[in-house]
Amino acid sequence: MARRKHHLVQTTSITKLCTTKDIVTINGMFPGPVVYAQEDDRVIIKVTNETPYNATIHWHGVRQRLTCWSDGPSYITQCPIQSGQTFTYEFTLVQQKGTLLWHAHFSWLRGTVYGAIVVYPKTGVPYPFQFPYEEHTIILGEYFLQDLVQLERQVLASGGAPPVANAYTINGHPGPNYNCSANDVYQINVVPGKTYLLRIINAALNMENFFGIANHKLTIVEADAEYTKPYTVDRVMLGPGQTMNVLVTANQPIGKYSMAMGAYMSARNVQFQNISAVAYFQYLGAVPNSVAFPPQLPSFNDNLAVKTVMDGLRSLNPANVPKEIDTNLFFTIGLNVDKCNSKTPQQNCQGVNNGVMAASMNNISFIKPNISLLEAYYKKINGLYTEDFPDVPLKFYDFVNGAPNTIPNDTSSMNGTRTHVLDYGTRVQLILQDTGTVSTENHPIHLHGYSFYVVGYGSGNYNPQTAQLNLVDPPYMNTIGVPVGGWAAIRFVADNPGVWFMHCHLEVHLSWGLSMVFIVKNGNGVLETLPHPPADLPRC
């Protein structure tokens, strides 16, 4: 069945943290409207941009089978929708169900332009877990008082790190720990003894986050819109772009319990917002003004708490993992400090040791072209990109411990709009290796157009002799937090033609160049061929 919606990109006045300002929203809503659908539905969403900014929408985790033109990352699959223009996104949720999200994919607008995608199973198909009494969507976000497009420009011009968020938010609400926010609190009212399904989405801009409910266990039943074997934890960690469905049973004494979102920061010497956002999980019958039980979130740098969540993620059913591999790829990921070339270093070289911050894959910082790569590829326009993104790093060394870090002398990256071309049907194994050049850090890496099997991960440098891989029931994800000072191994079959962005989902790292592009060539016949562009595709 087709689901049709009209999304208006609008500026909306909002008051938070004692400050009234205009933010960019969809249909005036913050967070934005939920896109509801069923597995295999056709989704048609007309987006009209009524703001002075450029805009695009990315349907995060939607596999976009033969609909690459509707994927949404600006200058990768489309030019942005300019002020006053309209573009219609069309895609089918082929064999997909669960919780995903949509968000802006231009500048840093996704700081306010985001919302849930809830895809139900087909009519009559049950969940593979206890049917919940109610479902609630919990979107974790970061709120900035600055204009987000200006903020990105300022951060890039400064060469330094971004300011910390003014607040974390749960469904747009900061909660009682922040100024003027005692009544700006999200609350779920629960019936004692009942079980609830929480669809948790991390839509934060530059932070990974812990989430937990005081005195309650969370049972993970889905990650990135794929069912998992039920796994019970005290709290979860989600990077931006990640989603998890958890079951929570209201089995504690009647009262008011805090649901909290706090920082996970695995890099050294990085400033971050250390005040938690709080919402309430309130039992019916609790005294209205009772003091809430405080949450027990891990400390901000508790890497073991993150590993514990990862260790339990297994796909519900045996997985169809590619066993034979055609292409082995090895990409390093990390930060760089480039030398200062500015005539006004005070203004423009505020990075570590008076350098300019950058980020890279295989030591190449990605530069977005000024027309969309998909158009350049489709129309065979030369000179906008190259097809020489390396299969492996250009230099091998002890990536985690022995990285060069005489900043900024030998920590700089190369620049380029480089792509990696895959033949249709290629079975790919990709090792993502964190580096310690500036600091080791957990990086949430997102691949557009595909989900992938996370067949292994570990700490230190990847060693094919000792790496333990799970080829039986690995989780099937679209965003993987590559462990701090460690590696992750993913596998997928390149069976969706088009131009597909792979990037770190921490927005500042994306702006600094931590991304690359896969071009997947056409196969045979119409079902393996990228269709022609839609008539209303925006122009640059």
Side-chain angles (χ1 to χ4, degrees):
M1 142 176 198
R3 311 265 171 173
R4 292 174 188 274
K5 285 262 182 97
H6 194 179
H7 278 185
L8 301 175
V9 189
Q10 298 173 321
T11 48
T12 304
S13 179
I14 188 172
T15 302
K16 277 201 186 298
L17 310 172
C18 330
T19 307
T20 299
K21 57 171 255 192
D22 281 344
I23 63 169
V24 180
T25 64
I26 300 293
N27 300 349
M29 297 168 67
F30 173 69
V34 181
V35 173
Y36 289 104
Q38 267 185 311
E39 181 177 359
D40 292 339
D41 274 357
R42 183 97 181 140
V43 178
I44 302 161
I45 298 187
K46 189 168 143 187
V47 176
T48 300
N49 184 3
E50 300 180 340
T51 74
Y53 308 106
N54 285 341
T56 66
I57 303 290
H58 169 55
W59 315 92
H60 184 112
V62 171
R63 288 189 203 123
Q64 298 289 2
R65 297 297 312 209
L66 302 178
T67 49
C68 190
W69 300 104
S70 284
D71 190 40
S74 55
Y75 303 108
I76 307 299
T77 64
Q78 66 167 103
C79 298
I81 306 166
Q82 294 174 34
S83 188
Q85 290 187 337
T86 294
F87 175 54
T88 300
Y89 292 92
E90 281 199 52
F91 51 87
T92 301
L93 295 159
V94 182
Q95 294 177 337
Q96 287 195 263
K97 53 187 176 287
T99 307
L100 293 166
L101 70 153
W102 56 264
H103 59 75
H105 218 301
F106 174 82
S107 181
W108 287 9
L109 283 182
R110 74 172 183 84
T112 58
V113 181
Y114 59 78
I117 303 175
V118 174
V119 188
Y120 291 108
K122 289 180 182 169
T123 308
V125 177
Y127 293 141
F129 46 80
Q130 176 187 350
F131 192 79
Y133 179 70
E134 273 179 2
E135 301 183 6
H136 294 273
T137 300
I138 303 275
I139 308 185
L140 312 178
E142 269 184 302
Y143 191 79
F144 290 83
L145 290 172
Q146 292 105 313
D147 174 295
L148 290 162
V149 172
Q150 285 175 346
L151 180 62
E152 186 199 33
R153 284 193 197 122
Q154 283 165 6
V155 168
L156 291 178
S158 78
V164 303
N166 297 93
Y168 298 127
T169 57
I170 297 174
N171 290 345
H173 301 283
N177 295 343
Y178 294 99
N179 284 350
C180 307
S181 304
N183 298 320
D184 197 352
V185 191
Y186 178 72
Q187 177 168 313
I188 298 176
N189 296 315
V190 300
V191 176
K194 299 292 189 191
T195 295
Y196 294 80
L197 179 68
L198 303 185
R199 299 174 177 270
I200 309 169
I201 296 167
N202 191 343
L205 203 63
N206 288 324
M207 282 298 293
E208 300 183 297
N209 296 96
F210 289 111
F211 174 84
I213 305 179
N215 301 11
H216 289 71
K217 300 272 192 206
L218 311 176
T219 299
I220 303 168
V221 291
E222 180 192 301
D224 282 7
E226 292 289 331
Y227 293 135
T228 61
K229 293 185 172 70
Y231 177 56
T232 301
V233 292
D234 292 325
R235 65 260 157 161
V236 289
M237 195 290 284
L238 293 89
Q242 292 188 308
T243 61
M244 271 184 195
N245 283 7
V246 303
L247 294 174
V248 184
T249 302
N251 57 6
Q252 295 300 303
I254 287 178
K256 181 158 127 187
Y257 295 86
S258 296
M259 298 192 284
M261 166 197 187
Y264 170 52
M265 173 51 75
S266 54
R268 295 184 298 275
N269 305 323
V270 175
Q271 292 183 307
F272 59 91
Q273 174 58 264
N274 61 1
I275 300 172
S276 297
V278 168
Y280 295 135
F281 192 75
Q282 170 132 348
Y283 283 63
L284 287 172
V287 182
N289 294 328
S290 55
V291 176
F293 287 95
Q296 299 90 16
L297 290 181
S299 66
F300 72 89
N301 56 1
D302 189 339
N303 300 323
L304 188 61
V306 175
K307 184 179 183 304
T308 305
V309 174
M310 277 293 302
D311 283 348
L313 292 183
R314 297 274 188 275
S315 62
L316 179 62
N317 299 310
N320 186 19
V321 188
K323 303 287 194 292
E324 303 289 313
I325 296 298
D326 304 308
T327 297
N328 273 293
L329 303 174
F330 186 103
F331 294 176
T332 55
I333 50 180
L335 299 190
N336 304 82
V337 182
D338 293 345
K339 283 185 185 164
C340 178
N341 290 321
S342 167
K343 301 244 180 346
T344 51
Q346 252 57 40
Q347 281 97 311
N348 314 118
C349 303
Q350 294 174 20
V352 183
N353 286 11
N354 306 319
V356 174
M357 299 307 295
S360 61
M361 287 189 160
N362 277 350
N363 210 39
I364 299 158
S365 293
F366 186 83
I367 307 290
K368 281 187 178 176
N370 51 8
I371 79 159
S372 97
L373 275 181
L374 182 58
E375 271 181 273
Y377 167 67
Y378 185 83
K379 295 176 179 167
K380 301 187 167 55
I381 304 169
N382 290 327
L384 280 163
Y385 65 93
T386 57
E387 298 185 348
D388 58 350
F389 189 89
D391 290 17
V392 295
L394 303 172
K395 286 203 281 250
F396 270 81
Y397 51 91
D398 177 348
F399 297 113
V400 172
N401 309 300
N405 47 17
T406 321
I407 293 169
N409 293 333
D410 54 7
T411 57
S412 62
S413 52
M414 296 174 288
N415 288 342
T417 308
R418 300 205 200 182
T419 65
H420 195 287
V421 180
L422 295 169
D423 285 327
Y424 186 91
T426 303
R427 295 164 296 187
V428 180
Q429 175 169 289
L430 168 56
I431 308 298
L432 296 163
Q433 173 70 57
D434 186 30
T435 62
T437 307
V438 174
S439 171
T440 52
E441 182 169 359
N442 183 303
H443 291 276
I445 302 294
H446 172 49
L447 174 59
H448 288 229
Y450 291 88
S451 291
F452 45 75
Y453 290 105
V454 181
V455 295
Y457 54 91
S459 57
N461 296 306
Y462 173 72
N463 177 345
Q465 268 70 53
T466 56
Q468 303 273 321
L469 299 185
N470 170 11
L471 303 180
V472 178
D473 58 355
Y476 196 45
M477 305 177 83
N478 63 57
T479 306
I480 174 63
V482 177
V484 52
W487 56 273
I490 68 173
R491 291 188 179 189
F492 64 97
V493 179
D495 57 1
N496 191 9
V499 171
W500 303 110
F501 208 20
M502 187 169 80
H503 62 91
C504 181
H505 221 282
L506 302 173
E507 208 68 8
V508 66
H509 292 182
L510 176 57
S511 298
W512 285 342
L514 211 171
S515 58
M516 59 80 64
V517 165
F518 284 113
I519 293 177
V520 178
K521 298 204 305 212
N522 288 335
N524 306 312
V526 72
L527 293 178
E528 298 181 1
T529 301
L530 178 71
H532 59 79
D536 63 341
L537 190 72
R539 317 246 44 83
C540 281

